[in-house]
Amino acid sequence: MTATQAHTLWTGFHWAFFINVQGLIICLRRFEAQLALGNLDQAQIELKTATELLVASGASMELAGSFSRQEYEHEVRQTMTPPKVQANNFSGLMSWEHAALMQVWKRLRLTFENLPPSLHGQHQEFVQAYLSLAKAHRAVCDKFGGSEGGSLRFEGGCAVDTLDRFSESRRALIDPH
């Protein structure tokens, strides 16, 4: 695979990931609105769609890393450091999508804690889809050396350990039980 191909895979599937996250934000806001109106059938549809978007996000993450570690280190990683980007600690955490999703998840925490019984099954599928996404993200990070050192954002420590902590805190927001 050429450097251009690896970088194209990385950026293309990250864009797909962010598009899926944008859809997830919309679905969760619609889920919240439908619950407030007492429309449980429609709320279930929105939560099911949000689940499917999480699954698609996980697939995008896996595909974003479908090239060698050597290609990542020599061609992709350097595109995420100065002078290619302005930040010294470039990360997806910096995206507006991440911030918006975390706001929605924080707002929905009590909602998820007090869901009507008819939504419990779909909610558990939603949580499992998130855990699958987190596992995919961790696997890509690990493949590219995240078990051996820090990330672009957190140079010290172990990047996969950091991802594990983030994953657990986010899981606690959507699965407060």
Side-chain angles (χ1 to χ4, degrees):
M1 181 175 300
T2 68
T4 303
Q5 289 171 321
H7 188 259
T8 298
L9 281 172
W10 183 260
T11 56
F13 283 112
H14 272 81
W15 280 114
F17 173 84
F18 285 119
I19 290 168
N20 289 324
V21 172
Q22 291 169 17
L24 177 60
I25 292 164
I26 292 167
C27 283
L28 290 174
R29 287 177 177 164
R30 290 170 51 102
F31 165 75
E32 182 178 34
Q34 293 303 319
L35 269 180
L37 294 171
N39 296 335
L40 296 184
D41 290 341
Q42 193 62 40
Q44 176 131 357
I45 290 169
E46 295 298 341
L47 190 56
K48 180 176 179 9
T49 304
T51 301
E52 292 169 359
L53 288 164
L54 279 174
V55 170
S57 296
S60 295
M61 189 61 64
E62 287 179 25
L63 291 166
S66 58
F67 50 87
S68 74
R69 180 173 174 176
Q70 182 179 2
E71 290 167 309
Y72 175 77
E73 290 175 357
H74 295 290
E75 306 299 334
V76 175
R77 186 176 172 106
Q78 64 184 293
T79 67
M80 297 181 285
T81 59
K84 301 285 185 182
V85 296
Q86 292 180 354
N88 286 326
N89 57 355
F90 184 74
S91 170
L93 295 171
M94 302 167 101
S95 72
W96 73 263
E97 291 94 346
H98 181 269
L101 182 61
M102 290 304 97
Q103 287 175 353
V104 171
W105 281 11
K106 286 175 184 175
R107 195 173 60 239
L108 286 173
R109 186 180 185 286
L110 287 175
T111 301
F112 286 137
E113 190 172 343
N114 298 297
L115 279 177
S118 63
L119 297 176
H120 286 179
Q122 186 58 57
H123 176 250
Q124 282 310 301
E125 288 182 36
F126 176 77
V127 171
Q128 289 307 308
Y130 169 71
L131 294 174
S132 177
L133 163 61
K135 182 178 175 183
H137 190 187
R138 187 186 199 282
V140 169
C141 180
D142 188 36
K143 176 181 180 179
F144 296 140
S147 295
E148 301 161 20
S151 66
L152 291 167
R153 185 164 183 89
F154 306 107
E155 285 297 328
C158 176
V160 293
D161 289 346
T162 300
L163 278 178
D164 289 345
R165 284 191 303 277
F166 284 162
S167 174
E168 182 54 31
S169 68
R170 281 143 179 80
R171 188 214 45 84
L173 292 173
I174 62 171
D175 191 17
H177 298 289

